Amino acid sequence: MTCWDFYIDKRKYNKDTNKIDIVLDYPISINKEWEYLKVKMVDFKFLNTIYNISALLRNNQFNIRSYSKIYTYTTTENEQYTDDGFYRPLGSNAFDESGNVVITDDIVANTSTLSTIDKAHSYIYYSDLITTELTPPNYYWSNVFSNNTTPNNRRMLLEKNLKYIEIVDTDNRIITHFNLSFMKPVTIAQDEVVVFKVQRFNDTDSIYEDAGVLNLTFTQNNLYYDDYEVRLSTPQASSKYRIVCDTITTFATYITELRGFNETYAFDNGTLSNTPIEATITIPDGFYKSSTFVSTLNSLLTNFKLTTSISQYTNKLKITNNNDFTPTTDTLVDLNGLLDIVIPDIENMKENWGINESYQQYINIPLNNYYEGDTNVNLINLSKIVITTDLNFKQKTHNELIKGNDLAT
């Protein structure tokens, strides 16, 4: 004799009758005249003492179908450190168009080793100022904060540990990159690599940290080296930046252009992928009441930014899409761009969730909105029966599931 086990969901075919139709998952053939089939239902178990959600009841698994959304962006470059306001009169009403910035007392604090030009931000040069016959006065800056690297005398000396330029940024700008140009005044016997660094001040630890490095090869005969972009690692707000030479050289190295930029990014609305990913969610076997059911679902749905709750007035299950994804230049893919919940077409499970009239294979959970079930959740365990056929009793068994109710016999 051969025995087969069947899962019978009375709600699906005989919800409002006092009978059960057994619908086989596959045919059983009878080929001989003496062969016959019989159904013997034994070992009834009603579940008020064991699980009401389990693999046996086929109500512990559902899927989440997700479509990723891919963003793109356009970049706008904004110059932050410019030469605006640098030109000063040379003893007359004319401005110095050579690029030399004559320092006057109202914009400079000058000592033997330090000079500062105060603007919305301050430029500080750690060295003696250049002195010439220009009067009045007899010291000045060369305007390296311009994208014009000529004339040849527009330059400031950089020397390891002795001469460098610092920018004090009272607005704590986020600088993404610097454009730098350099020159050397003489030819040299052989090529030489010089290391220049952009350093960013760590306001938390109060120290300078290397944020960008340029290894520049000075060749024997070439004097000018224009427009090198130095991008800063992990751009972040800072109160100070400085440009230094980190190599002791046999020749003088001058900076002829120093411009700082930040970037702003405009992101599009994103494009949904054509290929969804479907993930299976398994609720651990157990006995659940509404509060533990919701808390378990919430822990399982964390990665999808979905949360569940039950209305205190209707006991309906609400599924909310809390996806707050914001694209960045480093993160352009939202894995949860569009979410559908996929509940199996099992009456038992649909009644658990309170999803009947609006049931469909894929139920969308709208972004920053929610889906709510049709009726109250129903986790009452008396409505679920496990029937097994692997036992063979000589005497039939009979249990009253609910005393006094003939339909429950």
Side-chain angles (χ1 to χ4, degrees), residues 160 182 192-197 212-218 244-249:
K160 183 174 182 179
F182 302 91
E192 188 170 336
V193 177
V194 179
V195 178
F196 297 97
K197 291 182 177 180
V213 178
L214 172 64
N215 297 305
L216 180 57
T217 300
F218 283 87
V244 302
C245 176
D246 200 45
T247 303
I248 297 177
T249 60

Side-chain angles (χ1 to χ4, degrees), residues 2 12 47 57-58 101 119-122 138 159-160 175 185 194 227 248 259-260 269 287 300 320 337 353:
T2 304
K12 189 165 187 177
L47 303 178
L57 293 170
R58 300 188 185 181
V101 181
K119 294 165 82 290
H121 43 268
S122 298
N138 61 351
E159 188 175 340
K160 183 174 182 179
I175 300 300
V194 179
D227 293 325
I248 297 177
R259 294 190 295 147
N269 293 324
F287 183 84
L300 294 172
T320 304
W353 290 61

Side-chain angles (χ1 to χ4, degrees), residues 51-65:
Y51 298 154
N52 62 348
I53 292 181
S54 69
L56 280 175
L57 293 170
R58 300 188 185 181
N59 64 348
N60 73 326
Q61 282 191 340
F62 62 96
N63 287 2
I64 297 293
R65 183 175 73 167

Side-chain angles (χ1 to χ4, degrees), residues 2 128 138 142 148-149 210 214 252 292 295 337 342-343 349-350:
T2 304
D128 294 334
N138 61 351
S142 287
N148 180 9
T149 57
D210 294 344
L214 172 64
T292 54
S295 62
V342 189
I343 298 176
M349 189 168 186
K350 291 191 292 185

Side-chain angles (χ1 to χ4, degrees), residues 359-370:
Y359 174 80
Q360 53 186 324
Q361 183 178 8
Y362 299 105
I363 299 174
N364 179 249
I365 313 299
L367 179 65
N368 296 321
N369 210 323
Y370 64 88

Side-chain angles (χ1 to χ4, degrees), residues 44-80:
F44 282 73
K45 294 180 181 179
F46 61 97
L47 303 178
N48 62 331
T49 57
I50 55 176
Y51 298 154
N52 62 348
I53 292 181
S54 69
L56 280 175
L57 293 170
R58 300 188 185 181
N59 64 348
N60 73 326
Q61 282 191 340
F62 62 96
N63 287 2
I64 297 293
R65 183 175 73 167
S66 60
Y67 290 84
S68 60
K69 180 176 281 190
I70 303 170
Y71 293 84
T72 61
Y73 64 93
T74 56
T75 302
T76 301
E77 191 175 79
N78 309 287
E79 188 168 1
Q80 297 299 312

